[in-house]
Amino acid sequence: MGRKLLTEHVNVEGIETFAVYRKHGGYRAVEKALKMTPEEVVEEVKKSGLRGRGGAGFPTGMKWSFLAKPEGVPRYLVCNADESEPGTFKDRFLMSKLPHLLIEGMIAGSYALGARTSYIYIRGELLYVLRILEKAIAEAYAAGFLGENIQGSGYSLDLHVHPGGGAYICGEETALLESLEGKRGNPRNKPPFPAVQGLYARPTVVNNVESIATVVPILNMGGDEYAKIGVGKSTGTKLFSACGHLNKPGIYELELGVPVEEFIYSDEYCGGIWKGRELKAVVAGGSSVPILPKELILKTAAGEPRLMTYESLSDGGFVTGTMLGSGGFIAMDETTCIVKNTWNFSRFYHHESCGQCSPCREGTGWMEKVLHRLEHGHGSMHDIDLVVSVAKQIEGNTICPLGEAAAWPVAAAVRHFRDEFEWHVTHPKEATAPGAVYRGSLVLA
């Protein structure tokens, strides 16, 4: 396997404790950062080419440089640990196994941004992880890496963990900030952006767990060295949550640039499709990104090998490509019903819509209803076009990206698997029979 920057020590016994983490080089990045100016720390992150690991892939150093710095006004770093994307489970893995890695990243990042109080906003269902983080934070305070005058540097930081209420919408950064302030987690209109008016209307940076944790190896090795790992603008390593019909599902840390085919079939990684079956489709970056059939996930439309990078996965746009997203890699074998899978995703997004925007509130409900009809043998050919039309009317017409997250999977499923949707209309009895599987002209029960 390739180089491990985040998970190198994950299997070391006791690594979740301060003593063992420190013994294996922990908090060296903080010590190094405190000897630099905040601007120099930001510059190292810029040079690394690190892109946000939560889904959007925006350059982290650039995001940090946008932070407004009015004199005498507090600033905040907020960690988005509200990991709720179906198919994604890497952040809870990092927090539960390597809590001090995240804390170290929070300290270094807070110093770079001039934040004296920072927050980790964690998904409400992950209370067991919250307890792990709270224990690790207490250890960091006791060791002098949090609190007043950290390691005699003159810099002080208080770090808090705040549990959310279990709402997917709070993974959107402005909804997260609303929730953190004690309000209903509804996304805000932008501008103003959080970098200008974020938490408590003060300049704020919101970063994903993996993004903040990655600051640690960047500072330890230097931004230029980190940038040498990966391919092009996809630098460094990335955690992928591999699940679905795989022989070896789990968390994998990859150097960006590994071929998708190698990731799926190599014994080093996922070990191929379970039970000797054929791969049918893949959702490469969590449920909100477009699904791709086997032929387009393994190779681009131009016939080039598809790579695990931001650029390669998006090659071809949404016509023949997808997104790396949050790294929630869901593999589906030949027995998967795409219509049922798409309906299931739509149920999730309808349930999780905050209801603030009419296109999302009404549109997600209509997509769920129409897909329910198609899956349960009551649909028409018109319904197939109707669900695509509804998806298009949601896209680009909402305050936050949840609308797109709901619309893109539906549009892509019909685009690539329209024949399967049509079969559900023309053969409703066969489609609804227990165990029925559509395989082109073959139907196997």
Side-chain angles (χ1 to χ4, degrees), residues 113 123 134:
L113 298 169
R123 181 179 176 184
E134 286 182 331

Side-chain angles (χ1 to χ4, degrees), residues 86-87 287-288 330 332 336-352 364 367-376 387 405-406 409-410 413 421:
S287 66
S288 60
I330 309 170
M332 305 174 193
T336 302
C337 175
I338 298 298
V339 180
K340 184 176 182 179
N341 180 78
T342 308
W343 168 57
N344 199 38
F345 281 170
S346 289
R347 291 171 60 205
F348 173 81
Y349 289 108
H350 180 209
H351 181 269
E352 295 295 339
T364 53
M367 288 196 300
E368 181 189 346
K369 290 175 184 176
V370 175
L371 287 164
H372 180 276
R373 288 204 298 260
L374 289 165
E375 166 60 17
H376 292 84
V387 78
V410 172
F421 282 83

Side-chain angles (χ1 to χ4, degrees), residues 155-199:
Y155 173 67
S156 303
L157 175 68
D158 285 314
L159 180 60
H160 306 279
V161 187
H162 181 91
Y168 174 77
I169 192 65
C170 289
E172 195 278 332
E173 62 178 8
T174 61
L176 184 156
L177 295 176
E178 287 285 291
S179 177
L180 191 52
E181 291 177 3
K183 306 170 188 172
R184 176 176 173 145
N186 279 358
R188 300 173 180 173
N189 276 308
K190 293 181 284 189
F193 291 91
V196 178
Q197 289 186 30
L199 184 65

Side-chain angles (χ1 to χ4, degrees), residues 17-40:
T17 65
F18 176 86
V20 177
Y21 181 75
R22 181 71 165 153
K23 182 180 178 181
H24 286 81
Y27 291 95
R28 285 185 306 171
V30 169
E31 293 172 328
K32 185 175 181 180
L34 293 175
K35 295 175 183 176
M36 304 162 66
T37 66
E39 293 76 18
E40 287 172 337

Side-chain angles (χ1 to χ4, degrees), residues 386-408:
L386 175 61
V387 78
V388 173
S389 175
V390 172
K392 287 180 179 178
Q393 292 177 66
I394 298 172
E395 186 178 353
N397 293 312
T398 56
I399 289 175
C400 86
L402 189 141
E404 280 85 359
W408 289 341

Side-chain angles (χ1 to χ4, degrees), residues 202-366:
R202 299 292 188 258
T204 304
V205 168
V206 181
N207 281 132
N208 161 268
V209 171
E210 186 184 350
S211 306
I212 293 173
T214 304
V215 171
V216 174
I218 287 172
L219 290 176
N220 282 333
M221 67 194 305
D224 288 329
E225 285 301 310
Y226 184 88
K228 293 177 183 178
I229 303 169
V231 177
K233 294 182 179 179
S234 295
T235 63
T237 66
K238 173 81 180 75
L239 295 179
F240 288 90
S241 315
C243 61
H245 299 145
L246 297 166
N247 283 322
K248 294 165 59 181
I251 304 290
Y252 292 93
E253 183 176 2
L254 274 65
E255 293 186 20
L256 287 169
V258 172
V260 173
E261 187 167 8
E262 180 182 343
F263 180 58
I264 294 174
Y265 292 102
S266 168
D267 288 337
E268 286 186 301
Y269 300 113
C270 298
I273 307 303
W274 74 338
K275 299 181 180 179
R277 293 174 179 167
E278 288 293 317
L279 177 67
K280 181 175 183 177
V282 166
V283 175
S287 66
S288 60
V289 309
I291 189 173
L292 285 183
K294 175 182 178 179
E295 60 271 17
L296 286 176
I297 192 62
L298 299 182
K299 293 185 182 295
T300 66
E304 297 292 325
R306 189 82 73 175
L307 306 179
M308 301 288 275
T309 66
Y310 293 93
E311 292 77 23
S312 182
L313 284 169
S314 64
D315 184 271
F318 282 179
V319 176
T320 60
T322 183
M323 297 171 63
L324 184 146
S326 60
F329 194 91
I330 309 170
M332 305 174 193
D333 71 15
E334 58 194 327
T335 68
T336 302
C337 175
I338 298 298
V339 180
K340 184 176 182 179
N341 180 78
T342 308
W343 168 57
N344 199 38
F345 281 170
S346 289
R347 291 171 60 205
F348 173 81
Y349 289 108
H350 180 209
H351 181 269
E352 295 295 339
S353 173
C354 74
Q356 185 176 197
C357 305
S358 297
C360 181
R361 181 184 67 246
E362 303 299 327
T364 53
W366 275 108

